Amino acid sequence: MSPEFSEQTKKKIKEVISRYPRMEASLLPVLHLTQQEFGYLPEEAERAVAKMLRIKPVRVREAVTFYTMLHSQKKGKYHIQVCSNLTCSILGAEKLIDYLRNKLKIEPGETTADSKFTLSTVECLGACEAAPCMQINFDYYGNLDKKRIDSILESLD
Amino acid sequence: MKEKILTKNFGLKNSFKIDVYLEKKGYTAVRKALKEMTPEQILDEVKKANLRGRGGAGFPAGVKWSFVPDVDKPKYLCANADEGEPGTFKDRYIMAHDPHLLIEGVIITCFCVGIHHAFIYIRGEYEAVALRLEQAISEAYEKGFLGKNILKTGFKLDITVHRGAGAYICGEETGLLESLEGKRGYPRLKPPFPASIGLFQCPTVINNVETLSNVPAIILKGADWFCQQGLPGDGGTRIFGVSGMVKNPGIYELPVGTSLRDIIFKHAGGMKEGKTLKAVIPGGMSAPILRADEIDLKMDFDSLVEAKSMLGSAAIIVIDEETPILEVLKAVAKFYSHESCGQCTPCRIGTSWINKIVKRLVQGKGEQEDLKAILRLANNILGKTLCPLGDAAAMPISSIVEKFNDELESSLIQ
Ligand SMILES: Cc1cc2nc3c(=O)[nH]c(=O)nc-3n(C[C@H](O)[C@H](O)[C@H](O)COP(=O)(O)O)c2cc1C
Ligand code: SF4
């Protein structure tokens, strides 16, 4: 079964492909758009992308399993990605990760039962001036402490 | 007082919009380069300016451009905006606050080398910044600075923003090329160098965002002026990104050659209340660590090589006495074992083995032999891998174990 892309995404994909001298070079942007559409990259979506770009499905699988931002598995509505690299660790990231584990009752890599939150630890997010920091979906949050984490999570419905 | 080259517009309201940029005499360098200069003159000026690559390796930009052969194939430019080196966040500031400065640098570079399609490879997490860049690029098209007939000179250039998807190795230039071709970011064996065989097998220039953003000032004010802003053999300023246990973490644009002590204690406000300095990583995580008594040095490429470290991306991570050195070692070992692409055995096995040993040390189960094993493993990576990530892992790890051996020993089973 091939997944249904919305007309809008189909249009965007077509436009993105046209920016590259070779079709297969648009693989990452097309996968970003596909993941945006379905929330993750199920096998059928991988195959649909391969067909669109006229490449073998294994090429798409290779990319999906290589890049940390591409997911074969469904994530929670909010994907909390806490930096565990050096600057953030110096400024207390580990305590915050423990705090989130206890608060959400999940381990890094897991999703809450209501599918609202997925918790991950990630390498440097490139926002060290605001360490400790995290990214929720694509939004950055810096200068974190427990109180700020509480209020950020409360603001998400 | 020396001038700011890269951050001068950051404080302006809507600094990222083309109208503000134009008001501050933006795009006059493009006008000058395309209308009054030949590509050869531009190349000469950039060579004379000793503009050294800001991505890490410090290779002179003009020399790199001169390696591009004159062949009957398309040529490409890749602006490296992957910014994955831990501690580094400067390119994000340039792209978010003054995207037109980068675009202007890209246009001049492409005109100089004869390139008609440029890519900006930006790390996937910077989604908001990528959007801002795309807006800036469409403004530049509207005003005739990009497209088919730039400033009616007949010169043609397109810029495409390409988002990565989370892999440090794609910042390595050949990993970047593979990734941009729609593959895993596995670095290529060099030679051939990208200048002759790069993107889609065509000649390709790869430069860091900050490197390219210096080009407009060199065109407008000349190579001599640019060298005066820094050092004769290492021109201009650097955007130092300071993070860690300092009062005022952030970016500081200062002359190449500014003292590391001054950057930390004058510019970044010194240590946070009640904290004392233990160590500094002066050029992103790949740079060997410096002890507190080793920071009286000038921040330029050559001085740091002399100090057996590396200026790298000029990202300064400040570590205080209360942070156990084991925590630093743990973060470094974890990072490289996670980011090794796995193509070569010494790097793949070496980094993950070191990481396992360090985890054991953290659990308090380390033995004397473990520290020696880390050094041995690091030494077996050094110089024996396909891309520089291997060395980038081995060097900082060895330096931590060697310089902080006493503290590490005290964490072992007695
Ligand atoms: C593992 C690794 C990661 C790198 N990451 C980056 C990066 O994120 N950004 C960057 O500009 N250069 C990075 N580099 C350096 C590039 O390979 C290349 O030298 C640089 O982009 C060239 O531009 P420049 O001469 O203007 O510095 C990295 C190198 C290695 C070995
Ligand atoms: S040195 Fe490491 S990162 Fe570089 S190609 Fe080899 S395995 Fe990959």
Side-chain angles (χ1 to χ4, degrees), chain B residues 169 187 339-344 347-348 385-390:
Chain B
I169 197 57
E339 300 298 340
S340 165
C341 82
Q343 274 194 108
C344 13
C347 174
R348 181 185 66 244
T385 58
L386 205 151
C387 93
L389 184 138

Side-chain angles (χ1 to χ4, degrees), chain B residues 261-395:
Chain B
R261 180 178 296 281
D262 284 354
I263 297 173
I264 296 171
F265 286 95
K266 281 197 189 143
H267 300 283
M271 301 298 288
K272 273 192 205 299
E273 211 48 55
K275 305 284 179 183
T276 50
L277 182 66
K278 175 185 222 151
V280 180
I281 293 177
M285 191 171 258
S286 306
I289 201 163
L290 300 170
R291 285 188 315 256
D293 61 357
E294 293 177 311
I295 63 165
D296 288 297
L297 45 83
K298 289 202 269 178
M299 289 291 275
D300 60 88
F301 282 108
D302 300 339
S303 302
L304 281 202
V305 169
E306 231 169 86
K308 299 205 167 49
S309 185
M310 186 172 100
L311 182 59
S313 62
I316 299 168
I317 305 175
V318 179
I319 301 155
D320 67 308
E321 274 296 353
E322 283 164 46
T323 299
I325 203 68
L326 200 47
E327 192 169 323
V328 180
L329 185 59
K330 179 177 125 189
V332 178
K334 172 169 81 65
F335 177 71
Y336 288 106
S337 78
H338 184 257
E339 300 298 340
S340 165
C341 82
Q343 274 194 108
C344 13
T345 316
C347 174
R348 181 185 66 244
I349 306 285
T351 54
S352 72
W353 209 340
I354 291 173
N355 191 36
K356 270 189 206 145
I357 298 176
V358 173
K359 274 191 188 159
R360 196 155 67 219
L361 298 185
V362 171
Q363 290 165 353
K365 296 181 194 156
E367 295 174 26
Q368 190 68 43
E369 185 50 37
D370 286 334
L371 295 180
K372 288 196 197 121
I374 294 174
L375 288 175
R376 202 168 53 236
L377 285 163
N379 201 36
N380 279 333
I381 300 174
L382 203 65
K384 298 178 190 70
T385 58
L386 205 151
C387 93
L389 184 138
D391 291 357
M395 291 185 311

Side-chain angles (χ1 to χ4, degrees), chain B residues 135-156:
Chain B
Q135 280 160 5
I137 288 168
S138 55
E139 287 178 329
Y141 272 104
E142 270 168 37
K143 299 268 185 201
F145 296 115
L146 288 174
K148 289 208 164 56
N149 184 12
I150 297 172
L151 298 174
K152 305 202 172 65
T153 59
F155 179 63
K156 160 184 178 309

Side-chain angles (χ1 to χ4, degrees), chain B residues 208-230:
Chain B
N208 171 258
V209 165
E210 185 184 350
T211 312
L212 294 165
S213 301
N214 276 298
V215 174
I218 294 172
I219 295 305
L220 281 182
K221 300 187 174 171
D224 293 339
W225 174 87
F226 190 75
C227 287
Q228 280 159 21
Q229 305 309 302

Side-chain angles (χ1 to χ4, degrees), chain A residues 20 32 65 67 84 126 129, chain B residues 92 162 164 183-184 243 334:
Chain A
Y20 292 83
H32 278 306
T65 50
Y67 295 97
S84 60
E129 80 280 25
Chain B
R92 192 188 90 232
H162 183 92
K183 296 178 262 180
R184 286 184 164 195
S243 71
K334 172 169 81 65

Side-chain angles (χ1 to χ4, degrees), chain B residues 53-56 64 80 82-84 168-169 171-173 206-208 211 388-389:
Chain B
R54 270 46 171 164
K64 187 187 281 188
N80 192 342
D82 197 52
E83 194 146 79
Y168 169 62
I169 197 57
E172 194 282 331
E173 55 186 18
I206 300 151
N207 273 127
N208 171 258
T211 312
L389 184 138

Side-chain angles (χ1 to χ4, degrees), chain A residues 101-123:
Chain A
R101 284 170 53 214
N102 288 326
K103 188 177 165 86
L104 302 172
K105 301 194 174 55
I106 49 175
E107 292 300 310
E110 294 177 352
T111 302
T112 52
D114 61 0
S115 300
K116 189 168 174 187
F117 296 110
T118 299
L119 180 63
S120 299
T121 59
V122 292
E123 293 300 343

Side-chain angles (χ1 to χ4, degrees), chain B residues 10-207:
Chain B
F10 284 15
L12 303 174
K13 195 172 168 224
N14 290 330
S15 62
F16 54 89
K17 295 212 164 136
I18 199 163
D19 295 337
V20 177
Y21 190 67
L22 288 169
E23 222 167 87
K24 292 286 160 193
K25 301 213 167 59
Y27 288 110
T28 44
V30 158
R31 245 176 244 285
K32 180 172 172 190
L34 269 60
K35 293 192 178 227
E36 296 166 27
M37 294 173 82
T38 63
E40 293 74 30
Q41 285 171 327
I42 298 172
L43 186 63
D44 271 353
E45 207 60 34
V46 174
K47 272 189 185 166
K48 265 202 318 195
N50 289 321
L51 168 61
R52 297 180 64 170
R54 270 46 171 164
F59 196 81
V63 177
K64 187 187 281 188
W65 303 354
S66 71
F67 290 157
V68 175
D70 190 15
V71 289
D72 190 23
K73 275 189 187 175
K75 298 172 198 159
Y76 297 103
L77 172 73
C78 298
N80 192 342
D82 197 52
E83 194 146 79
E85 182 68 30
T88 316
F89 44 92
K90 66 191 176 69
D91 297 335
R92 192 188 90 232
Y93 271 86
I94 296 178
M95 295 184 284
H97 294 276
D98 208 352
H100 289 286
L101 186 66
L102 170 63
I103 296 170
E104 192 170 8
V106 167
I107 300 170
I108 299 168
T109 305
C110 289
F111 176 71
C112 175
V113 186
I115 293 168
H116 303 292
H117 197 163
F119 292 89
I120 302 178
Y121 187 107
I122 182 169
R123 64 179 296 177
E125 292 85 350
Y126 286 176
E127 193 206 30
V129 184
L131 277 175
R132 179 161 286 180
L133 264 179
E134 286 189 336
Q135 280 160 5
I137 288 168
S138 55
E139 287 178 329
Y141 272 104
E142 270 168 37
K143 299 268 185 201
F145 296 115
L146 288 174
K148 289 208 164 56
N149 184 12
I150 297 172
L151 298 174
K152 305 202 172 65
T153 59
F155 179 63
K156 160 184 178 309
L157 176 65
D158 289 309
I159 303 183
T160 304
V161 176
H162 183 92
R163 280 177 59 216
Y168 169 62
I169 197 57
C170 295
E172 194 282 331
E173 55 186 18
T174 59
L176 183 152
L177 295 176
E178 289 287 303
S179 176
L180 192 42
E181 291 182 1
K183 296 178 262 180
R184 286 184 164 195
Y186 285 147
R188 299 176 184 169
L189 201 57
K190 288 189 272 192
F193 289 94
S196 45
I197 297 184
L199 189 62
F200 311 124
Q201 305 289 312
C202 296
T204 303
V205 171
I206 300 151
N207 273 127

